[in-house]
């Protein structure tokens, strides 16, 4: 396998950009309130404006895995994935006007505090633990995957990449808190765009214009957005991308601690909602440009696929390989590209570190402190423990990344858990903000059963491999190796028993986009039905949602504003009707 070059100019660009990220952390440590309170450290003192938060919302979950993965998606499977952007537009008003006002009204550091007020402490703890496991595993893969890909084609040692990204990220996240993370997210967002645009520009120059890239993509069957099959086993259709995309988007942008924490750092609700809306075009632009970058890479390798030529071990390494193959003639450009990939990892990991430190403080340390010392942990004494926790999570991230190579299946497991936990968690919050009859025991039953089911279809197997579009090696300078490999593959297939698709369990053949949807629906249906049943047999109640012991005055702050207004109006009309009837009876007497 060919290893590319990474010269002094590239190294200088990368070092400069990492240094800027570190300096931002130092700046925010010694300016303003100097991170003396947890409100400033974890919530940026609610002083942030719409602009940085909207960029941070995009950067938090557009990791290097996403940049290289979405590009690879269009290279292998075509442009069908772009339909998911419709789901983002449909879901944004739900996140902005159903969930966000409830969390903003509570002014809580941990989003899971809402679950304690709505259902009880057990629900808060279960949801918080699920989130913690989810994010810790995701941090490891978000750091490991780009380091592995970059090592394979640029020559940058994997251990070096892991240490540099991990330590720089831990440094500025621990030192500067959420303010530093938000500002570096803006800086790193521009670098992510620069990396993608560099790929498109270089390919466009070699193609003689972007039109040639589009034409080749059309000729080779890469432009595909017409799949409307109702078959749930088809990998990408309009239905799976829109419905599955909505559940995924809402689980991230509606109820995820990482994103809600950013939205609560803005000074008022209207600005927080604006940040969500402004995030849409930023996210859309990165999504479409990354998809087009896959087509740009395909144009360059259209007649000589690097995997078939055995230059790379996985198509996840395509984008870094393209960079070293084409950008070497432009001093520092390959370094800018690698900086963009590093920045995508930095933004995701720093987001995870700050959200995990907030959850650990609010959901674990403060309750434990109260049990042990019989008093509340003061805000002025919470900052140092929170910084220590953030530092520890950074080290855990580095450790997981180093161990990921020997853990094998855990890599896929970490990505799977990120998807399957989101649907059930979204259902728990939906039952909380949209219903008055859901209770803790019913919701926990639905949540746990849906997690079991989601893990079963997420981790179970065997699963069929997705069918890619065709590739060619007809233009390779030396095709002997690839021809031999292809001949061996065909010989192996012909000598092996043919396994038909029905051999796979139907649930394992489902598109991965339906996993979170099924988890959401199971948790929602079982959670609500079990709550009604338990209430009927008087095995559970909902007393915590009322402000009085007679259970007449509902705590409207726990529910979505559109429903709260309706229920408030109905209660007022009912009270007025009773008052009128009483008055009528008195006058008749």
């Amino acid at each position: 396998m060919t290893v590319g070059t990474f010269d002094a100019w590239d190294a200088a660009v990368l070092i400069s950009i990492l240094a800027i990220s570190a300096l931002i952390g130092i700046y925010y440590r010694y300016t303003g309130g100097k991170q003396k309170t947890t409100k400033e450290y974890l919530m940026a003192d609610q002083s942030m404006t719409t602009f940085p938060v909207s960029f941070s919302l995009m950067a938090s979950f557009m990791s290097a895995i996403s940049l290289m993965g979405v590009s690879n998606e269009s290279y292998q499977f075509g442009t069908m994935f772009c339909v998911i952007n419709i789901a983002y537009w449909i879901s944004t008003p739900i996140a902005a006007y159903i969930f966000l006002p409830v969390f903003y009204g509570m002014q809580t550091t941990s989003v899971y505090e809402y679950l304690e007020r709505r259902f009880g402490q057990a629900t808060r703890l279960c949801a918080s633990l699920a989130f913690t496991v989810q994010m810790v595993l995701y941090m490891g893969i978000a750091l490991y995957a780009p380091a592995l890909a970059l090592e394979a084609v640029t020559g940058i040692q994997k251990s070096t990449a892991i240490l540099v990204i991990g330590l720089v990220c831990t440094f500025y996240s621990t030192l500067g808190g959420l303010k530093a993370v938000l500002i570096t997210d803006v800086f790193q967002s521009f670098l992510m765009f620069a990396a993608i645009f560099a790929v498109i520009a270089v390919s466009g120059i070699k193609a003689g214009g972007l039109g040639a890239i589009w034409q080749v993509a059309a000729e080779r069957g890469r432009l595909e957005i017409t799949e409307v099959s109702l078959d749930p086993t088809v990998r990408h259709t309009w239905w799976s991308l829109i419905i599955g995309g909505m559940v995924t988007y809402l689980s991230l942008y509606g109820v995820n601690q990482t994103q809600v924490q950013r939205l609560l750092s803005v000074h008022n609700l209207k600005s927080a909602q604006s940040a969500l809306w402004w995030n849409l075009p930023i996210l859309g632009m990165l999504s479409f440009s990354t998809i087009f970058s896959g087509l740009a890479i395909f144009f360059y390798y259209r007649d000589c696929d690097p995997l078939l030529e055995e230059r790379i071990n996985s198509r996840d390494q395509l984008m870094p390989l393209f960079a070293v193959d084409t950008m070497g003639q432009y001093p520092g450009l390959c370094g800018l590209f690698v900086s963009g990939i590093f920045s995508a990892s930095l933004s995701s990991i720093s987001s995870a570190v700050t959200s995990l430190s907030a959850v650990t403080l609010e959901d674990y340390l403060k309750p434990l402190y109260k049990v042990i010392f019989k008093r509340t942990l003061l805000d002025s004494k919470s900052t140092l423990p929170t910084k220590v926790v953030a530092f520890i999570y950074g080290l855990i991230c580095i450790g997981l990344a180093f161990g990921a190579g020997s853990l094998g299946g855990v890599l896929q497991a970490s990505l799977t858990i990120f998807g399957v936990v989101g649907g059930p968690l979204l259902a728990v919050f939906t039952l909380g903000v949209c219903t008055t009859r859901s209770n803790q025991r019913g919701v926990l039953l639905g949540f746990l059963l849906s997690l079991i089911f989601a893990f079963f279809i997420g981790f179970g197997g065997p699963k069929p491999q997705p069918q890619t579009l065709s590739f060619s090696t007809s233009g390779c300078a030396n095709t002997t190796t690839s021809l031999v490999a292809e001949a061996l593959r065909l010989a192996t297939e012909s000598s092996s028993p043919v396994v038909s698709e029905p051999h796979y369990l139907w649930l394992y053949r489902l598109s991965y986009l339906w996993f979170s949807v099924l988890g959401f629906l199971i948790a929602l249906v079982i959670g609500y039905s079990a709550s009604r049943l338990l209430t009927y047999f008087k095995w559970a109640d909902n007393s915590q949602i009322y402000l009085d012991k007679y259970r007449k005055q509902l705590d409207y702050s726990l529910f979505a504003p559109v429903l709260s207004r309706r229920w408030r109006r109905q209660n007022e009309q009912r009270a007025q009707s009773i008052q009128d009837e009483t008055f009528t009876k008195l006058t008749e007497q």
Side-chain angles (χ1 to χ4, degrees):
M1 182 177 64
T2 302
V3 177
T5 58
F6 194 77
D7 60 24
W9 280 105
D10 299 322
V13 171
L14 179 59
I15 292 170
S16 299
I17 286 167
L18 291 173
I20 291 171
S21 296
L23 288 171
I24 291 173
I26 296 173
Y27 175 79
Y28 282 103
R29 168 62 180 86
Y30 294 103
T31 59
K34 300 182 180 180
Q35 316 298 328
K36 291 180 179 178
T37 66
T38 52
K39 184 180 179 182
E40 182 175 8
Y41 184 71
L42 294 175
M43 307 299 290
D45 216 17
Q46 290 193 307
S47 61
M48 302 306 296
T49 57
T50 299
F51 176 78
V53 173
S54 58
F55 271 93
S56 182
L57 289 172
M58 178 278 294
S60 295
F61 286 112
M62 281 300 286
S63 65
I65 303 171
S66 303
L67 290 188
M68 294 188 290
V70 173
S71 177
N72 181 39
E73 167 70 28
S74 63
Y75 181 94
Q76 291 193 93
F77 301 101
T79 57
M80 189 69 203
F81 189 74
C82 69
V83 175
I84 202 170
N85 285 276
I86 297 174
Y88 300 161
W89 284 91
I90 297 172
S91 304
T92 294
I94 300 173
Y97 304 113
I98 300 296
F99 293 106
L100 182 57
V102 177
F103 301 137
Y104 203 94
M106 288 182 59
Q107 290 295 305
T108 175
T109 302
S110 168
V111 71
Y112 304 106
E113 185 178 328
Y114 165 80
L115 295 179
E116 181 174 5
R117 284 187 54 187
R118 175 61 181 84
F119 296 114
Q121 190 173 17
T123 307
R124 176 182 184 175
L125 187 60
C126 285
S128 180
L129 285 172
F131 168 80
T132 301
V133 173
Q134 173 192 33
M135 293 304 292
V136 165
L137 290 175
Y138 179 71
M139 281 197 304
I141 184 63
L143 180 53
Y144 176 80
L148 181 66
L150 290 167
E151 178 189 49
V153 294
T154 64
I156 299 176
Q157 290 295 314
K158 177 179 62 181
S159 56
T160 303
I162 289 173
L163 280 173
V164 169
I165 299 175
L167 291 176
V168 169
C169 177
T170 302
F171 176 79
Y172 75 75
S173 299
T174 303
L175 204 62
L178 186 61
K179 275 187 180 179
V181 171
L182 289 169
I183 300 303
T184 50
D185 278 354
V186 176
F187 173 62
Q188 289 156 6
S189 295
F190 286 112
L191 291 173
M192 290 159 64
F193 277 109
I196 297 300
F197 290 153
V199 169
I200 295 172
V202 171
S203 182
I205 291 170
K206 293 185 178 298
L210 301 182
I213 296 173
W214 190 261
Q215 183 179 350
V216 168
E219 292 171 354
R220 303 292 181 93
R222 257 62 189 175
L223 303 184
E224 174 60 57
I225 57 168
T226 58
E227 181 58 76
V228 292
S229 172
L230 295 175
D231 183 357
T233 63
V234 177
R235 186 169 177 269
H236 284 164
T237 69
W238 275 71
W239 311 109
S240 63
L241 286 164
I242 291 176
I243 299 172
M246 286 180 65
V247 173
T248 301
Y249 182 91
L250 287 171
S251 69
L252 294 177
Y253 288 85
V255 300
N256 187 281
Q257 168 69 27
T258 305
Q259 303 297 58
V260 174
Q261 187 175 347
R262 275 148 182 71
L263 291 167
L264 296 185
S265 70
V266 183
H267 54 277
N268 59 53
L269 175 59
K270 187 176 180 180
S271 297
Q273 291 169 330
S274 296
L276 258 179
W277 281 109
W278 278 110
N279 166 66
L280 265 183
I282 300 170
L283 183 62
M285 184 165 64
L286 188 63
S287 174
F288 282 112
S289 59
T290 307
I291 289 171
F292 191 80
S293 73
L295 301 182
I297 295 171
F298 176 76
F299 174 86
Y300 186 76
Y301 295 119
R302 64 192 181 280
D303 293 324
C304 188
D305 179 74
L307 184 64
L308 297 180
E309 197 189 8
E310 298 184 343
R311 293 186 64 201
I312 54 176
N313 299 321
S314 166
R315 287 201 175 93
D316 290 332
Q317 299 166 347
L318 268 171
M319 186 178 274
L321 176 67
F322 175 85
V324 296
D325 275 353
T326 62
M327 297 181 185
Q329 59 185 300
Y330 307 104
L333 189 59
C334 191
L336 181 64
F337 168 81
V338 173
S339 299
I341 299 299
F342 272 39
S343 293
S345 288
L346 285 169
S347 61
S348 296
I349 297 165
S350 62
S351 299
V353 167
T354 53
S355 60
L356 283 169
S357 58
V359 165
T360 302
L361 173 69
E362 296 294 329
D363 297 344
Y364 311 141
L365 294 183
K366 283 187 175 180
L368 188 63
Y369 185 91
K370 193 169 186 179
V371 169
I372 296 174
F373 297 101
K374 309 300 180 184
R375 64 178 184 270
T376 303
L377 180 62
L378 298 176
D379 186 64
S380 58
K381 295 183 179 180
S382 301
T383 308
L384 180 59
T386 309
K387 290 183 177 182
V388 172
V389 167
F391 181 74
I392 291 172
Y393 275 123
L395 296 183
I396 290 173
C397 173
I398 295 171
L400 281 173
F402 272 112
S406 59
L407 293 175
V410 173
L411 293 180
Q412 183 61 39
S414 62
L415 291 175
T416 304
I417 196 174
F418 197 74
V420 300
V421 171
L425 273 177
L426 176 62
V428 172
F429 281 100
T430 302
L431 288 170
V433 302
C434 295
T435 70
T436 58
R437 297 184 177 182
S438 301
N439 54 55
Q440 176 162 262
R441 292 183 179 179
V443 166
L444 279 178
L445 179 63
F447 179 60
L448 295 175
L449 289 177
S450 66
L451 278 180
I452 293 170
F453 177 81
F455 275 104
F456 170 73
I457 61 174
F459 293 139
K463 292 185 174 74
Q465 292 297 315
Q467 186 66 41
T468 65
L469 297 174
S470 61
F471 302 100
S472 172
T473 56
S474 62
C476 295
N478 183 6
T479 59
T480 304
T481 304
S482 58
L483 288 173
V484 171
E486 183 69 9
L488 288 172
R489 184 183 68 80
L490 291 172
T492 304
E493 288 180 354
S494 62
S495 62
S496 303
V498 177
V499 180
S500 60
E501 191 169 300
H503 166 78
Y504 299 104
L505 182 67
W506 185 80
L507 283 173
Y508 293 155
R509 292 166 51 208
L510 287 175
S511 167
Y512 70 96
L513 287 164
W514 293 112
F515 293 172
S516 59
V517 177
L518 289 174
F520 171 77
L521 291 175
I522 290 171
L524 196 73
V525 172
I526 294 179
Y528 188 75
S529 302
S531 294
R532 296 295 301 272
L533 195 63
L534 290 167
T535 302
Y536 178 80
F537 287 106
K538 296 183 169 42
W539 292 340
D541 62 43
N542 249 346
S543 57
Q544 71 278 358
I545 68 172
Y546 296 98
L547 297 173
D548 62 325
K549 63 180 181 180
Y550 303 106
R551 301 184 185 180
K552 298 292 184 183
Q553 184 61 43
L554 200 65
D555 186 354
Y556 294 108
S557 66
L558 297 174
F559 304 99
V562 63
L563 296 175
S564 292
R565 288 192 294 268
R566 180 184 174 188
W567 293 335
R568 190 191 301 271
R569 190 164 53 249
Q570 288 175 346
N571 284 342
E572 289 174 352
Q573 291 173 351
R574 194 178 299 115
Q576 185 63 44
S577 177
I578 293 172
Q579 187 177 358
D580 292 342
E581 287 179 7
T582 305
F583 180 75
T584 302
K585 289 178 181 179
L586 289 173
T587 53
E588 288 176 353
Q589 293 176 356

